[in-house]
Amino acid sequence: MNEQQRLLAAIWGDDAGEFSTQGIAIYRRNLLANAQRSLALSFPTIFELLDSNVSEQLVADFLRFSPPSQGDWGQWGAVFSAFLSQHELSDDYAYLADCAALDWAVHQALHGEDLALDSESLQQLAEGEPAQLTVVINPNVVIMMSEYPLVDIFDAHHHTDETMRNDALHRAQAQLRDGCVPSAAMVYRPEYQPRVSLIPTSEAMFMQALLANKSLGEALDRVSDFSDFSFEQWLVKAIENNFIVRLAPRP
């Protein structure tokens, strides 16, 4: 066991061992405070949903589950959603893990690389067959399928318009009470700030295929039975919202 592992064992154990009891107590308080600040920034929806006593214990539990392995607190939390899915809180609030996954996608997009469409690559549509084309999706884009009203829960806590927040809250509460309809959420970054939108299942399936490196032709085949999907309309939306980086011939 190296020194860092011995220190962590002392922090979470009953025996300070070779370390000062007072020093360990101070270190534990500082570690918890830093961890709570970090998680509250990376997972704001989760911390809005939970009261302070619950969230403090949750942070302590997560520190034991996944101790930080690097100096940048902003990169800590990638497995928080997986942790929540196993935590007893999910027995009563099953949507927490999906909310955490959405928060993390937004956090990652916020710190993602600024990428713009190579507009000249659109010429590939006129020159190649869909089966021979790859659509490179902006890496800031994340598609999530969920049994819960993720976008409404997110908007209920983060939408800039109070009326929209209240409307989203009422929709989320109604679904959680009366029965949820599976839905698709998309995180994307049109400029400098990430956005979260509810999208049709057909659009989610199409973009998931592209994210899985399927050809444009294969992605179109996935949604051929959906009357609500139009590639032309999607392409305009994708260009306007910076969903794609470029089109390229498949190797």
Side-chain angles (χ1 to χ4, degrees):
M1 184 182 292
N2 61 34
E3 184 174 358
Q4 184 181 24
Q5 289 172 326
R6 290 196 299 273
L7 177 59
L8 288 172
I11 290 171
W12 301 124
D14 297 324
D15 183 5
E18 64 191 271
F19 302 101
S20 158
T21 301
Q22 183 178 11
I24 287 296
I26 294 172
Y27 193 96
R28 181 184 292 139
R29 287 196 297 272
N30 288 339
L31 181 63
L32 278 169
N34 287 332
Q36 186 149 5
R37 280 194 295 269
S38 171
L39 288 183
L41 288 173
S42 301
F43 301 93
T45 309
I46 300 300
F47 284 79
E48 288 279 348
L49 288 166
L50 302 176
D51 64 45
S52 59
N53 291 334
V54 173
S55 61
E56 184 174 344
Q57 183 58 52
L58 190 68
V59 172
D61 292 342
F62 184 58
L63 275 168
R64 294 184 182 93
F65 179 84
S66 177
S69 58
Q70 53 185 318
D72 184 358
W73 281 102
Q75 295 303 310
W76 178 62
V79 298
F80 191 51
S81 174
F83 161 77
L84 283 173
S85 70
Q86 303 171 29
H87 197 277
E88 60 183 12
L89 274 173
S90 288
D91 294 340
D92 295 319
Y93 307 101
Y95 52 85
L96 286 180
D98 283 1
C99 288
L102 181 59
D103 272 350
W104 184 250
V106 172
H107 176 69
Q108 293 293 94
L110 180 63
H111 299 282
E113 184 179 358
D114 287 325
L115 295 170
L117 170 67
D118 175 4
S119 57
E120 292 185 2
S121 72
L122 296 176
Q123 183 63 29
Q124 296 288 336
L125 288 170
E127 298 175 353
E129 294 296 322
Q132 301 302 319
L133 291 179
T134 293
V135 181
V136 181
I137 299 293
N138 191 317
N140 294 313
V141 170
V142 174
I143 305 295
M144 287 185 58
M145 304 294 294
S146 177
E147 298 177 19
Y148 307 103
L150 289 191
V151 175
D152 280 333
I153 294 172
F154 185 89
D155 284 347
H157 295 90
H158 307 298
H159 203 288
T160 55
D161 183 89
E162 183 178 2
T163 299
M164 298 294 286
R165 285 199 306 273
N166 290 334
D167 289 345
L169 177 62
H170 293 150
R171 287 194 301 269
Q173 289 174 331
Q175 282 206 52
L176 292 172
R177 181 185 65 245
D178 302 330
C180 298
V181 177
S183 60
M186 177 171 62
V187 177
Y188 60 106
R189 182 173 158 176
E191 291 181 329
Y192 303 109
Q193 290 295 321
R195 295 184 188 175
V196 176
S197 291
L198 182 70
I199 61 174
T201 298
S202 57
E203 184 175 341
M205 291 176 60
F206 177 74
M207 293 189 69
Q208 284 178 325
L210 296 177
L211 285 165
N213 200 34
K214 301 297 183 182
S215 72
L216 174 58
E218 290 173 306
L220 288 170
D221 286 343
R222 291 270 183 95
V223 295
S224 59
D225 293 333
F226 288 85
S227 60
D228 67 336
F229 183 82
S230 161
F231 174 68
E232 291 75 15
Q233 291 177 5
W234 176 84
L235 183 61
V236 171
K237 179 180 176 182
I239 293 170
E240 290 177 345
N241 291 281
N242 202 24
F243 295 171
I244 57 179
V245 176
R246 65 183 178 277
L247 276 71
R250 290 183 72 77

